[in-house]
Amino acid sequence: MSGPDVAPAPPLTFVIFGATGDLTRRLLIPTLINMSRSGLVGDDLHILGIGIEPGGVDMLLERLDSFLATSGDMQEPERQEAWQSLRKRIAYISGDFTQNAVYDEISKYLSQAPSANAAFYLAVPPRFFGDVAEKLSANGLMNETAGAFRRIAIEKPFGHDLASARELNARLLSHANENQIYRIDHFLGKETVQNIMTTRFANMMIEALWNNNYIDHVQITAAELVDVGTRGKFYDSTGALRDMVPNHLFQLLAMVAMEPPNNFDAESIRNEKGKLLKALRIYSPEDAAKNGVRGAYTAGPLAGKDLPAYTGTADVAPDSSTETFVALKLLVDTWRWAGVPFYLRTGKALKARDTEIVITFRQVPFAQFPRPASRPQLPPNRLIIQVQPDEGLDMEISIKAPGLVLKTVPISLDFRYADRFDIGKQTGYESLFYELFVGDQTLFQRADGIEAGWAAVQPFLDLWAEGGKPDPYAPGSMGPACADDLIQRDGRAWHQPDEKPEGRQE
C-alpha cells in the first residue's frame, strides 16, 4: 500500500489512550510517520495523546523524540521530515481516564478540532477496555453526526476465556455499534497474510486443489526465539494458548480454510471467516486430552546467553503450571475439510523466529519411478506460506535430475516479497490504521469470530485448569517431545524452520 495507489485517509483526530506507553513509542508513532511519508495520511491528521503522567505536550514530544533518535530508520531525511510535520499536530491531556474530567477535556478539544472525525485507540491494559468504552459513550463521544465518524480500536487479548470474551463483547456493544468497533490483530496487517486470499482465489490451479481430495494436512507454526523476558507477570496469567491461538493462529487458519466470499467487502469476508471458526470441532474433555499438548522451557543456553527456566523468570510463580508452548490438532467439520487435520503450534525460546503455514498435499496414487530403499515414496508437494521473517511463498515439487538415469529430486519454486517489492521498514500496522481511518473492517475481527475461537480452545483451558504440569523442553529446540508425538502418531512430522528440499538454491 502506498500513496499513489490509494487516496489519503479523511481528516480526523487520532486519540491515543496510553500515549506515554511503550506501544505508542515503538509502534503507533512510527506507523503514523510511515503513513505520513507515503501519503496515506495528510496534514489534516491530528493526534491527541491521553496519559496519567503529569505534564504537557512538550513532555510527550521530548519522550518521543528521545526514543525515535535511537531508531536507524529516522536517519532517512524523508522520515525525519514526516516526523517534524507530524509532531506539530500532536496535543496531550494529562489525567485519569477512569474519571469524567479527562473526557470533558477530550470533548473540548474535539469541538475545536478542524474535523469532527475521531478514532480512539486504546493502548491500555485490557481490563480497562470496557471502562473506556463506557466513559466515551457516557460523555457523548461515540455519537456520530452526519458526515462524521467515531470509532474505537482495541488490540488483543479480547478476554481470557469464552465467558470473559462474551462479557467484553456485550459491554462494548452496549456502548458502540459493531461497525464502530475495530478489534486489531496485528498479524492481519502483514502483507503475506493479506495475500493468502489472493493466492487462493485469484489462481485456479491452487483453489481447484484446495480441499480434502488433494490436501493431506495443514500445519500452522508461530515460533518465537525470544523468551518471556520481563513480561513474567503478564505471561504467567496468560500462557501460550491464550496469548496466540484464539487470535493470531486462528486468524491464519480462517484465511487458509474459509470459503470464497460472495464479495471482497468487509462483511462478506468476515462472514466466511466466522462460519469457518464456528465449524471448528469442539472437543470433549477426553478428546482435548488426546489432541492438545503443552510445554514450558527449562534452563539452558539460548542465543549466546544462559536462560533461566520459565519458572525461574522474574514475576513467575516457582510452581507455575503456565505453558510457554502449545501444540494442537484441530478438525474443521465442513465438506471441504472433512478428515483434514490442522496442526497448530506456538512457543517461546524456540529454535528460530518463524511463522509459517505449510499445506501438505496427498501423495500421488502411483509413481513408477526408481526410488532408493531408504525413501520408497516421493516427497509430497507442499505450499509453504512464510509469514515472517523473509515473507514469501515456496512450492515444493519433484522433477527429474539431469543425467541419463531417471532420478527424481525435490525442488522449491520460491518467491520472496523483498526480491520484488519494497516492503522494508514497515511496522505492519500501516494497513490496519489506514482501514481504521477510512472505515473498512476487512482486517478486523468481529464479535462472533472471537467467541467462536474461544469456544474451540475452551476445552483445553478447562482440562489444564484441573491440574498437571507442562512438559519440559530445552531452549533452542522446537518444543517438547510430546509435540512430536502428537503429529507422529498420525504418520506425519512437523516441518522444520531450516528444512529445505534437496534442490533449493540459496
Side-chain angles (χ1 to χ4, degrees):
M1 181 182 293
S2 62
D5 297 329
V6 295
L12 80 152
T13 299
F14 191 40
V15 183
I16 302 174
F17 287 85
T20 57
D22 184 58
L23 181 63
T24 300
R25 288 193 298 271
R26 285 189 306 105
L27 287 173
L28 306 191
I29 294 300
T31 296
L32 296 173
I33 292 172
N34 288 341
M35 295 177 71
S36 180
R37 173 179 176 269
S38 61
L40 293 177
V41 296
D43 293 343
D44 47 13
L45 169 70
H46 294 260
I47 301 168
L48 174 60
I50 311 297
I52 193 67
E53 287 82 352
V57 68
D58 289 341
M59 177 275 296
L60 176 60
L61 291 175
E62 182 179 346
R63 290 192 181 192
L64 295 175
D65 284 333
S66 177
F67 177 82
L68 292 172
T70 65
S71 171
D73 294 346
M74 291 304 294
Q75 303 308 311
E76 294 184 8
E78 289 183 348
R79 277 189 168 78
Q80 188 59 238
E81 182 181 347
W83 168 235
Q84 292 305 317
S85 172
L86 193 65
R87 74 191 300 280
K88 297 174 184 176
R89 289 172 273 122
I90 296 178
Y92 179 71
I93 294 173
S94 173
D96 183 350
F97 57 72
T98 65
Q99 303 300 314
N100 286 326
V102 166
Y103 300 89
D104 291 339
E105 292 296 317
I106 296 174
S107 295
K108 292 176 184 176
Y109 179 92
L110 293 178
S111 68
Q112 299 169 8
S115 170
N117 294 329
F120 303 97
Y121 189 98
L122 277 54
V124 299
R127 66 181 183 275
F128 293 115
F129 289 166
D131 294 337
V132 175
E134 182 176 341
K135 289 292 185 182
L136 288 170
S137 175
N139 286 273
L141 290 165
M142 293 307 299
N143 297 337
E144 296 184 319
T145 58
F149 62 77
R150 296 294 168 91
R151 298 169 186 147
I152 298 177
I154 62 173
E155 194 155 353
K156 69 98 178 172
F158 311 113
H160 59 270
D161 56 15
L162 179 57
S164 61
R166 285 173 172 165
E167 180 182 357
L168 176 59
N169 279 328
R171 192 173 182 194
L172 291 173
L173 290 168
S174 68
H175 300 295
N177 298 322
E178 179 64 50
N179 62 12
Q180 293 179 290
I181 303 171
Y182 289 69
R183 301 173 186 84
I184 291 179
D185 184 331
H186 68 262
F187 265 41
L188 294 182
K190 298 182 182 298
E191 286 290 347
T192 319
V193 175
Q194 296 179 53
N195 193 45
I196 293 173
M197 284 195 298
T198 306
T199 301
R200 285 185 57 189
F201 303 135
N203 297 287
M204 191 64 185
M205 62 181 290
I206 291 179
E207 181 59 20
L209 305 179
W210 215 255
N211 56 64
N212 55 9
N213 292 323
Y214 299 101
I215 293 177
D216 178 76
H217 72 282
V218 178
Q219 297 180 25
I220 302 177
T221 294
E224 296 184 86
L225 181 62
V226 298
D227 58 285
V228 171
T230 59
R231 302 174 69 223
K233 184 175 182 180
F234 161 78
Y235 206 85
D236 208 33
S237 63
T238 305
L241 180 63
R242 287 185 170 95
D243 190 39
M244 294 292 290
V245 176
N247 37 68
H248 297 331
L249 296 196
F250 277 8
Q251 286 301 304
L252 297 181
L253 191 157
M255 299 283 268
V256 166
M258 61 185 271
E259 292 299 315
N262 294 333
N263 278 293
F264 279 93
D265 61 86
E267 286 313 293
S268 296
I269 292 171
R270 300 204 301 177
N271 285 342
E272 296 303 334
K273 288 168 65 176
K275 286 193 289 187
L276 186 284
L277 292 171
K278 291 170 188 173
L280 287 169
R281 184 175 299 180
I282 308 299
Y283 285 138
S284 66
E286 295 75 21
D287 287 337
K290 295 175 185 175
N291 293 292
V293 297
R294 57 181 176 150
Y297 59 80
T298 59
L302 180 69
K305 67 176 183 178
D306 291 327
L307 181 69
Y310 170 68
T311 50
T313 302
D315 300 320
V316 172
D319 61 346
S320 173
S321 59
T322 298
E323 77 285 351
T324 62
F325 176 97
V326 64
L328 307 176
K329 174 186 175 182
L330 300 175
L331 297 171
V332 178
D333 290 329
T334 64
W335 277 32
R336 182 188 290 263
W337 298 109
V340 177
F342 287 75
Y343 299 98
L344 278 59
R345 62 176 174 168
T346 184
K348 290 189 173 295
L350 297 179
K351 182 179 181 180
R353 176 176 178 256
D354 181 64
T355 301
E356 65 178 16
I357 303 164
V358 181
I359 314 295
T360 300
F361 293 88
R362 294 187 181 277
Q363 296 279 356
V364 294
F366 179 71
Q368 198 173 16
F369 297 103
R371 300 291 296 165
S374 60
R375 288 184 295 171
Q377 285 188 316
L378 291 173
N381 300 138
R382 294 189 296 195
L383 174 63
I384 302 172
I385 303 170
Q386 189 70 36
V387 177
Q388 66 180 12
D390 198 20
E391 296 93 332
L393 299 169
D394 294 296
M395 174 63 83
E396 297 180 359
I397 64 173
S398 293
I399 65 163
K400 177 188 175 296
L404 300 178
V405 177
L406 180 58
K407 178 184 177 183
T408 60
V409 294
I411 65 149
S412 177
L413 309 176
D414 60 323
F415 160 74
R416 291 293 172 268
Y417 270 87
D419 294 341
R420 183 69 182 272
F421 305 105
D422 179 14
I423 62 170
K425 300 177 181 176
Q426 300 291 300
T427 66
Y429 279 69
E430 289 82 3
S431 57
L432 296 169
F433 279 13
Y434 181 79
E435 299 206 353
L436 166 66
F437 296 165
V438 301
D440 187 334
Q441 292 184 301
T442 302
L443 300 180
F444 299 86
Q445 297 191 61
R446 201 168 62 186
D448 59 337
I450 288 172
E451 293 176 15
W454 279 114
V457 302
Q458 192 64 49
F460 301 102
L461 294 174
D462 293 342
L463 176 69
W464 297 339
E466 294 177 359
K469 293 285 187 180
D471 285 14
Y473 66 91
S477 68
M478 281 305 290
C482 57
D484 294 326
D485 296 340
L486 176 70
I487 193 170
Q488 287 173 0
R489 72 179 184 219
D490 295 335
R492 303 180 176 102
W494 292 109
H495 179 253
Q496 298 303 315
D498 55 356
E499 184 180 340
K500 299 178 180 67
E502 298 169 11
R504 175 163 174 181
Q505 300 297 313
E506 291 300 315

